[in-house]
């Protein structure tokens, strides 16, 4: 079988690798519009902040020997003849996987063609922003979502005066409630990041951003973090069904029986996720399907994490008020701590946790598994129970359930890590190679290291855990 993957980002490179691992007889060709080998897009904000080098973003891409063509843009698909067309050649396929990702949204504002303006989506974007920050004194980040706040924190860490301009009523308004967003804005202010809410931008002058209320925010660098739009152009031009994204069923198959779509460009059951964990689950499903399995993708319960120096936010599900819901909350704005849990039928319908909260891991696990919450809800707000005296319990990985999800991006459980240990993997890099844990957002690295250290100590003291 001849399979073509269009896109060599985090989703495209993963499905190509998975296909190779399942069936070496599948001939895979990968086209990547960017000239860079696959890199971890999630860590771009860490690179911007100066807390990572470019080599830290490198990912295990398609295996050596696979036909990978970087810097080659596919211009058209001919689904009737099963052809992929580039400026230089025409290539046949039996199966086609669209992993075209998404494009940064550019608002309709005058002045955005200036060299002092950059969207933040790719490695080249990040390089340009870092170069601009080297000579800038003040920056504006247009957009108060997850990426915008990570960008703002990174620029502030480079010594710039930073203002986040957001048209919505509060920060991260797709994930946070107003109370949590207020605490977050206060935390940002303490980190040197100003916030303007409900602000409509009119134009970029090169020396500042004019707003509809008549004010101008002075700055010499503008970074656009206004969201991303699924790249569906190829699919739409080929007559493949598109709504917000390329429409797919539970097999990730499009309206064309020979074409699949995954990642940021795909719309499954009305949802475009825009997150790495769903993209990699989808890649796994498509690799299964193309090699004879009947695996189905039923959707993902996404957890949004914002982790930057001084910022820690976890958001999942819906925290909107509901007449049948029980709401438990706690706020300590002075310490940047906030928690809101929305519970229905003794299960988490949604949660927001800001600041250093020891219960965040437990809350994420309960949400992931759709499990019943403890009777004492307050233990999920503050990390401890109340009333009856309970014995102290160590945070050791020994108390983590075997099926606890350690790496959400790659669906790696504690049991998977301990199994690889028993198979002979003895270091974090060896665990990473065999499980792919930590290769997504990187937020689980401390947890993986802790489990490896615990396993080593247990083996040293008792022989084998």
């Amino acid at each position: 079988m001849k399979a073509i993957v269009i896109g060599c980002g985090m989703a495209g490179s993963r499905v190509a690798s998975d296909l190779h691992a399942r069936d070496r007889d599948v001939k895979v060709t990968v086209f990547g519009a960017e000239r860079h080998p696959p890199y971890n897009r999630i860590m771009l904000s860490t690179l911007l902040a100066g807390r990572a080098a470019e080599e830290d973003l490198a990912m295990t891409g398609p295996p050596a020997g696979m036909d990978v063509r970087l810097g080659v843009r596919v211009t058209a698909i001919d689904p009737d003849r099963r052809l992929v067309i580039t400026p230089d050649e025409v290539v046949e396929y039996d199966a086609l996987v669209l992993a075209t990702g998404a494009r940064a949204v550019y608002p309709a504002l005058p002045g955005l063609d200036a060299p002092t303006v950059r969207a933040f989506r790719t490695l080249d974007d990040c390089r340009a922003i870092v170069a601009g920050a080297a000579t800038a004194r003040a920056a504006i980040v247009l957009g108060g979502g997850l990426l915008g706040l990570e960008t703002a924190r990174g620029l502030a860490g480079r010594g710039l005066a930073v203002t986040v301009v957001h048209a919505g009523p509060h920060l991260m308004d797709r994930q946070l409630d107003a109370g949590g967003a207020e605490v977050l804005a206060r935390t940002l202010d303490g980190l040197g990041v100003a916030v303007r809410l409900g602000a409509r931008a009119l134009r970029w002058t090169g020396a500042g951003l004019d707003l509809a209320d008549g004010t101008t925010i002075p700055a010499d660098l503008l970074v656009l973090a206004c969201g991303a739009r699924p790249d569906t152009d190829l699919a739409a031009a080929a007559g493949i069904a598109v709504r917000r994204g390329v429409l797919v069923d539970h097999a990730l198959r499009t309206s064309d029986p020979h074409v699949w779509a995954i990642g940021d460009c795909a719309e499954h059951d009305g949802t475009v996720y825009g997150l790495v964990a769903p993209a990699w689950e989808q890649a796994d499903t498509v690799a299964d399907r193309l090699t004879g399995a009947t695996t189905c993708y039923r959707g993902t319960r996404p957890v949004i994490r914002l982790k930057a120096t001084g910022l820690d936010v976890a958001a999942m599900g819906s925290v909107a008020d509901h007449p049948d819901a029980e709401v438990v909350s706690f706020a300590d704005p002075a310490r940047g701590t906030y928690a809101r849990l929305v519970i229905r039928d003794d299960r988490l319908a949604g949660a927001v946790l800001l600041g250093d909260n020891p219960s965040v891991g437990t809350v994420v696990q309960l949400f992931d598994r759709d499990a019943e919450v403890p009777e004492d809800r307050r233990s999920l707000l503050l990390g401890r129970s109340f009333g009856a005296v309970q014995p102290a319990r160590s945070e050791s990985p020994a108390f983590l359930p075997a099926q606890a999800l350690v790496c959400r991006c790659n669906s790696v459980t504690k049991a998977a890590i301990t199994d690889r240990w028993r198979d002979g993997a003895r270091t974090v890099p060896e665990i990473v190679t065999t499980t792919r844990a930590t290769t997504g957002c990187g937020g689980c690295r401390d947890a993986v290291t802790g489990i490896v250290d615990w396993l080593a100590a247990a083996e040293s003291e008792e022989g084998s855990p």
Side-chain angles (χ1 to χ4, degrees), residues 149-399:
L149 300 188
E150 289 181 338
T151 303
R153 184 65 189 103
L155 290 171
R158 290 182 175 270
L160 278 69
V162 182
T163 302
V164 173
V165 175
H166 187 55
H170 61 257
L171 297 172
M172 292 183 67
D173 41 14
R174 292 185 179 180
Q175 294 88 23
L176 302 187
D177 64 315
E182 184 177 347
V183 173
L184 180 57
R186 180 168 177 165
T187 300
L188 285 165
D189 184 67
L191 296 171
V193 177
V195 175
R196 292 285 298 269
L197 298 172
R200 185 165 64 89
L202 289 183
R203 69 185 62 83
W204 172 251
T205 67
L209 186 68
D210 291 344
L211 302 181
D213 64 3
T215 62
T216 297
I217 304 174
D220 35 22
L221 177 65
L222 175 65
V223 179
L224 304 178
C226 306
R229 183 175 293 114
D231 189 347
T232 61
D233 291 354
L234 284 173
I240 296 170
V242 167
R243 200 155 42 211
R244 286 177 56 220
V246 181
L247 293 175
V248 295
D249 59 18
H250 293 321
L252 285 316
R253 195 190 303 261
T254 70
S255 59
D256 184 302
H258 301 285
V259 181
W260 286 256
I262 61 172
D264 293 357
C265 72
E267 179 178 344
H268 172 264
D269 201 19
T271 300
V272 176
Y273 288 99
L275 299 168
V276 67
W280 282 350
E281 288 183 44
Q282 292 168 1
D284 188 63
T285 298
V286 169
D288 281 347
R289 283 279 175 168
L290 294 183
T291 54
T294 57
T295 309
C296 288
Y297 176 74
R298 297 296 182 182
T300 303
R301 290 169 65 82
V303 176
I304 309 296
R305 293 300 303 268
L306 188 164
K307 288 185 73 70
T309 305
L311 295 175
D312 195 343
V313 180
M316 61 213 79
S318 172
V319 292
D321 289 329
H322 191 280
D324 297 331
E326 172 189 355
V327 178
V328 187
S329 62
F330 171 82
D332 186 351
R335 292 175 174 80
T337 302
Y338 179 87
R340 176 182 170 90
L341 310 177
V342 178
I343 301 167
R344 297 181 66 184
D345 300 324
D346 286 329
R347 286 169 168 76
L348 281 173
V352 169
L353 299 166
L354 279 72
D356 184 13
N357 191 317
S359 65
V360 63
T362 300
V363 171
V364 171
Q365 291 291 332
L366 290 170
F367 181 77
D368 270 331
R369 299 178 190 172
D370 196 24
E372 287 191 13
V373 299
E375 185 176 345
D376 188 345
R377 318 301 205 208
R378 294 170 298 176
S379 65
L380 297 180
L381 294 178
L382 302 173
R384 62 189 179 91
S385 296
F386 296 81
V389 176
Q390 298 190 9
R393 186 173 167 106
S394 169
E395 294 300 320
S396 166
F399 295 110

